[in-house]
Amino acid sequence: MQDKSAFTPPSLLLATIALSLATFMQVLDTTIANVALPTIAGNLGVSSDQGTWVITSFAVCNAIALPLTGWFTRRFGQLRLFVGSVALFTLTSFLCGFAHSMTELIIFRALQGFFAGPMFPMCQTLLLVIFPTSKRSMALALLSMVTVVAPIVGPITGGWITDNYSWPWIFYINVPIGIFAAITVWSQLRAREETTTTAPIDYIGIALLVLGVGLLQVVLDKGNDLDWFNAPEIIVMSVISAIALVSFVIWELGENHPIVNLRLFKDRNFAIGTATLTLGYAAFFAINIILPQWLQTQMGYTAIWAGLAAAPMGFLPLLLTAFIGRYAHKVDLRILATLSFMTMGISCLLRAQFNTSVDFRTIAEVQMFMGIGVAFFFMPITTIVLSNLNGAEVAEGSGLATFFRVLGGSFASSLTTWIWSRREVYHHANLTESVTTYNPAAMDYLHKMGGVTQQHLAAVDKTIEQQAYMMSTIDYFWLLGWGFMVLMVLIWFARPPFVRSGVSGAPPAAGH
């Protein structure tokens, strides 16, 4: 029997490839520029601190655009929004590569981040629209694979392009992909009918959103560099952001035509699903930050080898995508999410057993094991998030959930570096206390080195620093491991059934 809630494009395969490529390009771009920052800053004649605005400007505008996805969808329609976003993202990618100054690059990166905002939620929505109900789990599994693989490939690709060509090419490679994706998706889905609505624009809501989310993202991106609340600018931005966000929530809940539909959180599955998605992704993101950082700064790995050590995490999601998509709907999705959290939690506890002698193979094997959890993470939780939503709510919910997921990643990025360095200082101080003339073991070690000299004390301090970072890394993985265990409990507050009409992503028209 034909599924009337789905739209069948002339070529389902071609439409799926184009949608996936566009999303892969957008997710890839969130990490590909990171490794090229020193080169970009050097070529454009600015300091490394100024160069980080290439990342911050993208993140700020991306965070602002995501919650607006629902309003954009109602105003322009899902297909026009997606194709327009891809086209403008492609154009600004070209302009980023063509930039001749840091000011130009930051402006174009900000625009690129804004146009990137609706791409993932709209890809999710359109994939669910073109797949029949029986295969929508496959569509979500495919999208989760893209979400996992792209951040892994990003730094490796960015490093390779920067070393072998020049940094503008990390942006230029988006151009052919974006043109192909925009043209293909438009030609495949343009026959699908959509209804748009023109509601009054919530200018106050937009202003509060831009102010609150924008400043919050700047605080998260710059907090570590400016020593957090020891810097007056961080304090001022934090206070203004908090006031703006509280005002935004109050205003939106009382607005007849809100720019962001916060009433979606009244739905239990959306609230629980978004909370677990945000916290789970934050912990997952933290692993992807601390592991390569530890390998490169303390274990002597190059950026490429650190990327290769982390890469096995993406193998099993690639292999399991078809299996998960085909059979996941036959199992309680809370069981799959629990399996995901348990596996990722165990992988963190295994890393907490590492020491400074751990080899590449052991690190890669634990990463591959975690891949099981990653494979079962996005699809069941996304399905739970959208399970009770219908019509235009799906695009709104997808954009809002993606916003919180990205915000969770931003918090993880800032807090991981801060906690890791603070715990290193703590362990370094404790270990240093043992290196005294009253400690026979310490004196014996120094005498074996040739005596108590400045050079030998510096070598001992370097060893202490490495061990302190190892202990800090262990502490953080213990924290992440038990955090995943808590999420195993939280997900069971969601209420089945999880496969309903709303999961179709979007009915034939947003206003029907």
Side-chain angles (χ1 to χ4, degrees):
M1 185 176 178
Q2 187 177 5
D3 180 8
K4 295 182 180 179
S5 66
F7 168 83
T8 304
S11 172
L12 179 61
L13 177 62
L14 194 58
T16 302
I17 291 173
L19 286 165
S20 302
L21 271 177
T23 304
F24 183 84
M25 171 183 70
Q26 182 260 313
V27 178
L28 183 77
D29 232 63
T30 60
T31 59
I32 195 171
N34 295 19
V35 294
L37 281 185
T39 304
I40 294 173
N43 287 359
L44 296 179
V46 300
S47 66
S48 297
D49 287 344
Q50 289 173 299
T52 58
W53 280 101
V54 173
I55 305 300
T56 303
S57 59
F58 182 96
V60 168
C61 292
N62 187 250
I64 291 170
L66 277 167
L68 297 174
T69 299
W71 183 82
F72 285 139
T73 303
R74 295 192 299 270
R75 193 69 178 250
F76 303 109
Q78 296 150 1
L79 180 59
R80 289 190 186 90
L81 176 59
F82 180 80
V83 173
S85 297
V86 172
L88 291 169
F89 179 88
T90 304
L91 174 61
T92 49
S93 293
F94 172 79
L95 293 174
C96 284
F98 195 69
H100 291 91
S101 69
M102 181 55 70
T103 302
E104 289 180 11
L105 180 57
I106 290 172
I107 291 171
F108 295 141
R109 274 287 283 179
L111 292 171
Q112 187 192 35
F114 187 83
F115 296 133
M119 288 173 62
F120 182 89
M122 284 301 95
C123 175
Q124 188 175 74
T125 301
L126 292 174
L127 275 176
L128 291 170
V129 165
I130 64 176
F131 275 77
T133 303
S134 60
K135 295 184 178 179
R136 279 169 188 154
S137 294
M138 179 72 76
L140 289 176
L142 174 66
L143 194 58
S144 70
M145 181 192 70
V146 171
T147 308
V148 170
V149 173
I152 299 172
V153 174
I156 299 175
T157 306
W160 183 81
I161 290 174
T162 304
D163 291 342
N164 292 279
Y165 295 95
S166 60
W167 67 263
W169 283 100
I170 65 178
F171 300 111
Y172 288 150
I173 60 171
N174 291 337
V175 175
I177 298 173
I179 292 173
F180 167 79
I183 293 174
T184 303
V185 172
W186 178 259
S187 63
Q188 291 292 316
L189 276 70
R190 63 182 177 180
R192 176 175 173 265
E193 294 182 5
E194 288 191 84
T195 299
T196 57
T197 59
T198 304
I201 300 176
D202 178 14
Y203 290 107
I204 294 178
I206 292 175
L208 291 172
L209 175 71
V210 170
L211 185 63
V213 172
L215 289 179
L216 174 60
Q217 192 67 50
V218 173
V219 167
L220 292 175
D221 274 26
K222 294 295 183 182
N224 281 309
D225 297 336
L226 299 175
D227 198 19
W228 290 103
F229 295 106
N230 290 319
E233 52 265 54
I234 291 293
I235 296 174
V236 171
M237 286 190 292
S238 298
V239 171
I240 295 174
S241 174
I243 293 172
L245 289 174
V246 171
S247 302
F248 171 75
V249 171
I250 295 171
W251 176 267
E252 292 298 282
L253 291 176
E255 177 66 16
N256 292 328
H257 301 283
I259 196 73
V260 178
N261 186 6
L262 297 178
R263 296 180 181 88
L264 293 176
F265 284 102
K266 291 181 179 179
D267 177 70
R268 181 172 181 166
N269 285 357
F270 180 80
I272 295 296
T274 301
T276 52
L277 177 66
T278 302
L279 295 173
Y281 183 78
F284 165 72
F285 199 78
I287 296 169
N288 292 331
I289 291 171
I290 194 172
L291 186 66
Q293 196 169 340
W294 170 64
L295 291 176
Q296 290 178 68
T297 61
Q298 304 303 318
M299 299 295 287
Y301 282 59
T302 63
I304 298 295
W305 278 102
L308 291 174
M313 177 182 65
F315 292 161
L316 288 177
L318 280 172
L319 296 176
L320 292 173
T321 295
F323 175 82
I324 295 170
R326 185 170 183 177
Y327 297 106
H329 66 280
K330 298 182 179 181
V331 182
D332 188 326
L333 295 181
R334 293 173 299 181
I335 295 176
L336 297 183
T338 301
L339 172 64
S340 170
F341 294 140
M342 182 175 67
T343 305
M344 289 197 282
I346 291 172
S347 77
C348 288
L349 299 181
L350 289 174
R351 292 188 195 91
Q353 310 302 316
F354 284 177
N355 56 48
T356 52
S357 299
V358 67
D359 56 17
F360 178 91
R361 179 176 177 176
T362 302
I363 295 168
E365 286 175 347
V366 175
Q367 286 293 104
M368 182 171 285
F369 172 73
M370 188 178 78
I372 300 172
V374 174
F376 287 98
F377 175 62
F378 286 98
M379 190 283 292
I381 295 179
T382 301
T383 305
I384 290 172
V385 167
L386 302 177
S387 59
N388 289 338
L389 306 186
N390 294 281
E393 291 179 343
V394 177
E396 294 173 335
S398 180
L400 202 51
T402 304
F403 163 71
F404 278 101
R405 175 174 64 81
V406 171
L407 194 62
S410 296
F411 270 101
S413 179
S414 295
L415 292 176
T416 294
T417 305
W418 182 72
I419 293 172
W420 193 52
S421 58
R422 290 294 294 267
R423 293 297 294 174
E424 186 278 332
V425 170
Y426 170 78
H427 288 301
H428 192 284
N430 285 344
L431 292 172
T432 303
E433 290 176 359
S434 301
V435 184
T436 68
T437 55
Y438 302 104
N439 187 334
M443 289 299 99
D444 183 56
Y445 183 79
L446 285 166
H447 286 309
K448 286 180 180 179
M449 293 177 69
V452 183
T453 66
Q454 198 67 33
Q455 181 181 0
H456 293 154
L457 287 173
V460 170
D461 187 67
K462 185 65 178 176
T463 301
I464 289 174
E465 179 184 332
Q466 185 186 32
Q467 293 299 326
Y469 270 113
M470 182 75 258
M471 295 170 74
S472 177
T473 305
I474 290 170
D475 289 346
Y476 202 63
F477 278 125
W478 274 113
L479 176 65
L480 293 175
W482 289 108
F484 278 118
M485 300 305 172
V486 172
L487 293 179
M488 289 172 55
V489 177
L490 180 61
I491 194 62
W492 283 91
F493 284 91
R495 181 181 297 161
F498 300 121
V499 182
R500 293 171 58 177
S501 60
V503 180
S504 64
H512 281 195

